[in-house]
Amino acid sequence: MLTEKQGEESIVSNFHDNESNIDNKEGGDGSKEDDQSMFGLKSFLWHGGSVWDAWFSCASNQVAQVLLTLPYSFSQLGMLSGILLQIFYGFLGSWTAYLISVLYVEYRSRKEKEGVNFKNHVIQWFEVLDGLLGPYWKAVGLAFNVIFLCFGSVIQLIACASNIYYINDHLDKRTWTYIFGACCATTVFIPSFHNYRLWSFLGLGMTTYTAWYMAIASLVHGQVEGVTHSGPSKLVLYFTGATNILYTFGGHAVTVEIMHAMWKPQKFKYIYLLATLYVFTLTLPSAAAVYWAFGDELLNHSNAFSLLPKSGFRDAAVILMLIHQFITFGFACTPLYFIWEKVIGMHDTKSLCLRALVRLPVVIPIWFLAIIFPFFGPINSAVGALLVSFTVYIIPALAHMLTYKDASARKNAAEKPPSFFPSWAGMYAVNMFIVVWVLIVGFGFGGWASMTNFVRQVDTFGLFAKCYQCNPPPIHPSGASPPPLPPHH
């Protein structure tokens, strides 16, 4: 292995042209291990930067609580649209994740040629935009990323409270949110994505079990008496469901941080696509089977656990999802921790306890928002339409086009177009299609539908709802707003 001094010298070299040197780094953040610790238990469980680590991180982070809301989306969309939109947005998301990886490689290549050292600095998406396109793009990227990650973390807390209620309903969901907010705050002790090796592996196993439990349990249960499948019945429901699926494949807010934790970041290019293909094996069978079994009942049950029969298998799935949501909370919050550390000048602090202490203020507003808006399901669609549409799809596509708009930039690009797109014109055409489609369908129609549905939930249950959908109202396939519920604990 390289000595520490050699590692510091090699990290400022162009990583794209020096793969052998990068192989000897622990990750993009420049941390090192000697030969003995490389094979130690701590190293095996804690220090991950391989292609497999990145794949597990992407696949684990892509589907968490949204797995439980996809049947709800199918009831709004209908079976055919639900399946087709999953496939469509899955590939669309994989493409924009590829664009983000290309822009990261370009940014880092340029900076390392200038002698910039990233030894104690984690590169983030807004910094890539700043380096390639200037401060205005940095501001836009930072604003969307921060708000998206904030609400992504909020959703995990809401999901924890919603899930545990199906095992223990002695406490209302709001109280469970208080409890899990405190539990998830412990993620401040996980330094970076470099240290999620074990958690990512376990997290994917948990979602795999839950997805196949949902599918098998639904098939064994069979269709409920008088089951109906009326979706799609109203535009507002259709586009609400569509934006939830757009959100499903929009986990790119942490893509740059996952890449930076890799030993060879330039190998990330197709990892997100491979992760998405695996995720299809989880989301498609589970959502289709639950919708087949329960049909329109799902319109008022945004969490699939609420309809599946109580059993030891269901309780196991609930517990595994609770653990996984803790992991996903950490995934969503870690980039926010980095940003906050940079703002207060503590990003290069080596003390784990000190970093954990300064990170705590990030968790508090997330905790508070989860208590204000406990709307499991509808909030996914709102976040998808208003935030994911720009953060994950529109901004990366526009940034790629503008970065390579000049012939000299294309000629000196660190990453050339992929083999299946031999020309830059083909990439521009795909990027432009994504911008127009997501702007009109995702943000436009999706924003209208999801906010209409979200406001409907606020009118029905109120802010600070103590127990959202604990005692669901009658089914309204037409999408009409049900009468307000009496107070329920």
Side-chain angles (χ1 to χ4, degrees):
M1 299 293 291
L2 295 175
T3 65
E4 186 69 23
K5 181 178 179 181
Q6 289 172 322
E8 290 179 6
E9 293 172 349
S10 65
I11 200 165
V12 301
S13 63
N14 187 316
F15 77 98
H16 186 62
D17 297 325
N18 293 278
E19 293 185 3
S20 61
N21 282 340
I22 292 173
D23 272 335
N24 291 311
K25 295 187 183 68
E26 185 182 314
D29 56 5
S31 53
K32 299 286 295 174
E33 294 176 329
D34 57 28
D35 288 327
Q36 291 180 339
S37 65
M38 179 64 75
F39 299 101
L41 181 62
K42 177 182 176 182
S43 174
F44 177 74
L45 299 177
W46 186 250
H47 297 296
S50 68
V51 169
W52 280 105
D53 288 310
W55 183 83
F56 277 115
S57 291
C58 289
S60 177
N61 183 54
Q62 193 171 131
V63 173
Q65 51 73 38
V66 76
L67 187 69
L68 307 175
T69 66
L70 285 173
Y72 168 66
S73 297
F74 270 48
S75 71
Q76 298 168 318
L77 292 164
M79 186 75 79
L80 180 60
S81 289
I83 292 172
L84 293 179
L85 283 174
Q86 274 203 45
I87 296 171
F88 175 70
Y89 281 121
F91 284 111
L92 222 62
S94 299
W95 175 255
T96 53
Y98 167 77
L99 297 181
I100 292 173
S101 73
V102 168
L103 293 173
Y104 170 90
V105 169
E106 183 67 40
Y107 168 78
R108 184 160 176 176
S109 178
R110 292 183 187 182
K111 288 298 181 182
E112 290 184 339
K113 286 177 181 177
E114 297 171 5
V116 177
N117 190 334
F118 294 109
K119 179 175 173 55
N120 295 313
H121 184 92
V122 176
I123 298 172
Q124 294 187 268
W125 176 230
F126 67 91
E127 294 169 320
V128 173
L129 292 173
D130 184 27
L132 297 177
L133 297 173
Y136 292 109
W137 278 86
K138 173 186 177 181
V140 171
L142 181 60
F144 274 105
N145 243 33
V146 167
I147 300 172
F148 172 36
L149 289 168
C150 179
F151 276 97
S153 304
V154 167
I155 288 168
Q156 301 313 315
L157 290 186
I158 296 170
C160 285
S162 179
N163 290 345
I164 192 64
Y165 186 79
Y166 299 115
I167 291 182
N168 185 338
D169 60 1
H170 296 300
L171 299 176
D172 58 76
K173 292 181 182 179
R174 189 169 70 192
T175 302
W176 280 119
T177 303
Y178 292 138
I179 295 170
F180 280 101
C183 294
C184 289
T186 59
T187 58
V188 297
F189 289 100
I190 302 176
S192 72
F193 286 100
H194 195 68
N195 309 112
Y196 271 95
R197 164 175 280 183
L198 177 62
W199 290 115
S200 297
F201 176 77
L202 293 176
L204 189 58
M206 293 166 187
T207 51
T208 299
Y209 171 89
T210 303
W212 285 108
Y213 155 73
M214 289 168 60
I216 294 171
S218 298
L219 295 174
V220 170
H221 179 276
Q223 291 184 312
V224 295
E225 185 177 353
V227 65
T228 56
H229 299 85
S230 61
S233 58
K234 290 191 70 176
L235 282 178
V236 67
L237 294 179
Y238 187 87
F239 285 107
T240 300
T243 51
N244 187 42
I245 293 180
L246 179 144
Y247 169 83
T248 302
F249 297 97
H252 306 16
V254 297
T255 298
V256 170
E257 288 84 358
I258 291 173
M259 284 187 69
H260 193 79
M262 291 179 68
W263 297 326
K264 298 174 71 173
Q266 68 275 23
K267 287 200 167 185
F268 182 88
K269 288 181 290 186
Y270 303 114
I271 288 176
Y272 197 91
L273 173 61
L274 296 175
T276 298
L277 293 176
Y278 180 79
V279 166
F280 282 153
T281 69
L282 307 181
T283 58
L284 289 169
S286 60
V290 176
Y291 178 54
W292 169 83
F294 298 100
D296 289 345
E297 285 190 31
L298 286 158
L299 288 170
N300 289 301
H301 294 79
S302 53
N303 188 330
F305 281 149
S306 64
L307 289 175
L308 292 168
K310 185 174 177 60
S311 67
F313 292 109
R314 192 195 74 166
D315 290 350
V318 170
I319 293 169
L320 291 177
M321 285 303 291
L322 286 173
I323 300 171
H324 185 264
Q325 278 146 5
F326 164 83
I327 298 168
T328 308
F329 181 92
F331 266 102
C333 257
T334 299
L336 294 176
Y337 297 153
F338 292 155
I339 294 169
W340 178 243
E341 290 168 0
K342 292 171 184 177
V343 169
I344 63 175
M346 301 291 286
H347 186 56
D348 57 354
T349 300
K350 295 182 179 179
S351 170
L352 183 64
C353 292
L354 183 57
R355 290 184 75 180
L357 183 64
V358 301
R359 287 174 170 188
L360 279 175
V362 175
V363 179
I364 295 172
I366 292 170
W367 203 352
F368 187 62
L369 286 169
I371 296 166
I372 298 176
F373 305 113
F375 309 124
F376 192 88
I379 195 172
N380 287 11
S381 299
V383 170
L386 304 180
L387 299 173
V388 174
S389 57
F390 283 93
T391 303
V392 172
Y393 299 96
I394 295 174
I395 291 177
L398 284 176
H400 187 273
M401 289 191 288
L402 292 175
T403 298
Y404 298 108
K405 68 180 187 301
D406 297 329
S408 59
R410 295 193 293 271
K411 181 179 179 181
N412 299 313
E415 289 286 341
K416 304 299 182 184
S419 57
F420 54 86
F421 270 112
S423 70
W424 287 95
M427 294 191 73
Y428 268 71
V430 173
N431 290 345
M432 185 57 68
F433 168 78
I434 291 173
V435 171
V436 174
W437 175 274
V438 176
L439 191 62
I440 296 174
V441 177
F443 176 72
F445 289 108
W448 159 74
S450 60
M451 288 310 298
T452 300
N453 189 38
F454 190 82
V455 170
R456 194 174 283 165
Q457 304 301 313
V458 174
D459 291 340
T460 302
F461 295 94
L463 300 177
F464 297 97
K466 202 164 191 178
C467 216
Y468 174 68
Q469 286 191 344
C470 294
N471 185 19
I475 302 170
H476 289 264
S478 65
S481 180
L485 292 177
H488 182 82
H489 299 275

